[in-house]
Amino acid sequence: MREQDLEAFTRAVDAIRDQGRYRVFADIRRERGRFPHARLRRPDGGDTPIVVWCSNDYLGQGQSEEVIAAAHLAIDDVGAGSGGTRNISGTTSYHVDLEQELAALHGKESALLFTSGYVSNEATLSTLARLFPDIWMFSDSLNHASMIEGIRRANCEKRIFRHNDLQHLESLLNEAPADAPKLIAFESVYSMDGDTAPIEAICDIADQYGAMTYLDEVHGVGLYGETGGGVAERDGVMHRVDFIEGTLAKAFGTMGGYVTGPRVAIDAIRSTAPGFIFTTSLAPSIAAAALESVRLVRRCPHMRSRLAERAETLKRRFRDAGLPVMESSTHIVPLLVGDPVRCKAISDALLYDHGVYVQPINYPTVPRGTERLRFTPSPFHDDALMDKLIAALTTVWGQFSKAAA
């Protein structure tokens, strides 16, 4: 590679460093059966015990003995890999059964597995534009990068409505021809702020304008609703949403993504989406683990109740300690920092001095000036762990407040 080419890479990284948002990965090893405990590998090769406060494994299902056993059984049954794409030898009974379970979870006719939630959003939304060449897509301004990318790749008419602003959404819908296909894409839980979408009201507007609805439930599935179907199930409107997309990598503790909807629509996506057709399928052990996890979460509402109680307790304790907790109506508990350098410094001090792991959230994940620490308590973060967290945060926050002054 030419020297000037290498310099271009260096300039790109230096620019990120100069803005205070260069990311360093924490090298951690989770401890089986002891979630949220883990060990941090230090540069000298040793390790330090830590408590993870920022995992998306919201229910600790990645450490569930039943889920782990299901993965082991599948490996013993069929081996490590799937052997190909879903079209070429990569479909096993684990994949088929998991898709049926996910469709049932969301009350839909059919489901389709992808290798990640990012791929399921990007592939599905871009493919819908191929199926409807004249489609107009309407996207909430805070939608995930995967939805933004899918809509961008769709190369169709698109409009961005202000976050949860239904009046603005309607005004944009009025720009589209009455007979044009339309789709409204939005999320149930917005994971950086912890607020939710007015799903029923969006469905009312969609009915009025003849638009399809596409709901990303990745931060809601497993956590809300009587059986864990998500915020749409909790609000009693699951049947009104046309497409519900989700992930297996958060509440279900494994990996992979999926989309559910009408059988004929899912069949069309299955038959035409490059992101599905040309990708090796999930390892059978992952599909088997996810299947067991979905079944377990569906029949255990006490997990959701415990998570809700833990999140509300942490918010209250942050407020009582005078910490700047941001408003959140969900299990997401963000603390506002407002500066990327200070955000990383606080995160580093918590990790290396107190054994508390919470990742700094900086631009472009959130807007500049709203940098934050994003806490995700689980049913396993007990009062003793919260005591230690509050003590550590109070100490570190005080140190960096004085430094900033």
Side-chain angles (χ1 to χ4, degrees):
M1 187 176 291
R2 299 177 307 168
E3 186 65 31
Q4 56 264 44
D5 295 330
L6 293 172
E7 289 175 358
F9 292 118
T10 301
R11 287 194 302 271
V13 174
D14 286 347
I16 295 172
R17 289 184 188 275
D18 291 343
Q19 296 169 27
R21 58 187 185 89
Y22 180 75
R23 292 172 176 170
V24 178
F25 297 149
D27 183 350
I28 69 172
R29 183 188 295 269
R30 302 210 297 172
E31 297 182 13
R32 175 176 170 174
R34 296 194 66 233
F35 182 81
H37 296 275
R39 302 196 72 83
L40 172 72
R41 185 160 66 174
R42 301 190 306 266
D44 63 7
D47 58 28
T48 301
I50 61 171
V51 175
V52 179
W53 279 96
C54 56
S55 176
N56 284 338
D57 188 359
Y58 294 133
L59 299 176
Q61 283 293 94
Q63 299 297 311
S64 162
E65 289 300 326
E66 295 92 337
V67 173
I68 293 171
H72 279 299
L73 286 172
I75 289 176
D76 292 340
D77 184 24
V78 299
S82 69
T85 67
R86 289 290 298 277
N87 293 315
I88 306 175
S89 81
T91 295
T92 70
S93 58
Y94 300 111
H95 299 88
V96 174
D97 292 348
L98 177 55
E99 287 175 336
Q100 292 173 349
E101 190 75 22
L102 292 167
L105 173 67
H106 293 292
K108 301 303 178 190
E109 292 179 339
S110 190
L112 188 65
L113 281 173
F114 293 85
T115 51
S116 74
Y118 189 103
V119 175
S120 59
N121 269 333
E122 188 277 331
T124 301
L125 288 167
S126 60
T127 298
L128 286 172
R130 294 190 189 93
L131 298 171
F132 297 91
D134 299 324
I135 197 170
W136 286 54
M137 291 191 176
F138 301 84
S139 177
D140 188 286
S141 62
L142 293 189
N143 277 346
H144 189 265
S146 57
M147 301 173 77
I148 294 170
E149 181 64 13
I151 293 171
R152 186 190 69 80
R153 288 175 58 83
N155 197 29
C156 64
E157 287 287 346
K158 55 183 176 291
R159 300 291 185 272
I160 311 302
F161 61 93
R162 291 185 292 270
H163 178 54
N164 281 350
D165 189 333
L166 303 186
Q167 186 174 359
H168 190 215
L169 171 60
E170 279 206 74
S171 70
L172 295 176
L173 281 162
N174 278 310
E175 296 180 8
D179 59 348
K182 307 173 190 67
L183 181 137
I184 304 171
F186 59 107
E187 298 184 38
S188 63
V189 175
Y190 289 87
S191 64
M192 291 300 123
D193 293 323
D195 61 337
T196 60
I199 301 175
E200 182 175 23
I202 291 176
C203 288
D204 289 342
I205 291 172
D207 289 346
Q208 180 181 348
Y209 287 87
M212 295 179 285
T213 47
Y214 183 98
L215 175 63
D216 177 314
E217 278 271 25
V218 296
H219 292 278
V221 64
L223 308 179
Y224 301 93
E226 183 178 351
T227 66
V231 177
E233 183 187 30
R234 182 199 70 183
D235 293 352
V237 293
M238 201 160 57
H239 62 287
R240 298 188 60 189
V241 179
D242 295 306
F243 296 100
I244 296 180
E245 183 267 350
T247 183
L248 302 167
K250 294 181 170 60
F252 300 126
T254 57
M255 70 171 292
Y258 63 89
V259 64
T260 67
R263 180 171 288 105
V264 65
I266 298 302
D267 194 25
I269 295 166
R270 180 189 69 85
S271 302
T272 59
F276 174 81
I277 295 171
F278 299 107
T279 300
T280 298
S281 63
L282 288 173
S285 58
I286 294 175
L291 176 60
E292 178 62 26
S293 185
V294 174
R295 288 172 172 169
L296 184 62
V297 169
R298 289 187 73 186
R299 64 176 184 263
C300 293
H302 65 273
M303 291 183 179
R304 290 179 278 285
S305 299
R306 170 70 173 172
L307 175 66
E309 182 274 325
R310 291 286 81 192
E312 291 307 310
T313 297
L314 186 60
K315 293 174 196 176
R316 174 179 55 78
R317 297 202 57 178
F318 279 173
R319 287 191 292 267
D320 291 346
L323 294 164
V325 60
M326 301 171 69
E327 190 65 30
S328 167
S329 60
T330 63
H331 60 285
I332 307 296
V333 186
L335 280 184
L336 180 64
V337 178
D339 176 82
V341 176
R342 184 165 172 255
C343 195
K344 186 178 186 309
I346 291 173
S347 173
D348 286 348
L350 288 170
L351 179 60
Y352 295 110
D353 298 340
H354 298 274
V356 169
Y357 177 36
V358 57
Q359 191 71 9
I361 306 296
N362 294 333
Y363 177 84
T365 306
V366 296
R368 289 185 173 92
T370 69
E371 292 82 5
R372 67 201 65 179
L373 301 176
R374 174 182 174 271
F375 293 84
T376 54
S378 76
F380 303 97
H381 287 87
D382 59 21
D383 288 344
L385 291 179
M386 286 191 183
D387 290 341
K388 293 178 182 178
L389 171 65
I390 297 298
L393 269 171
T394 302
T395 299
V396 172
W397 217 271
Q399 290 172 348
F400 284 92
S401 293
K402 292 174 183 176

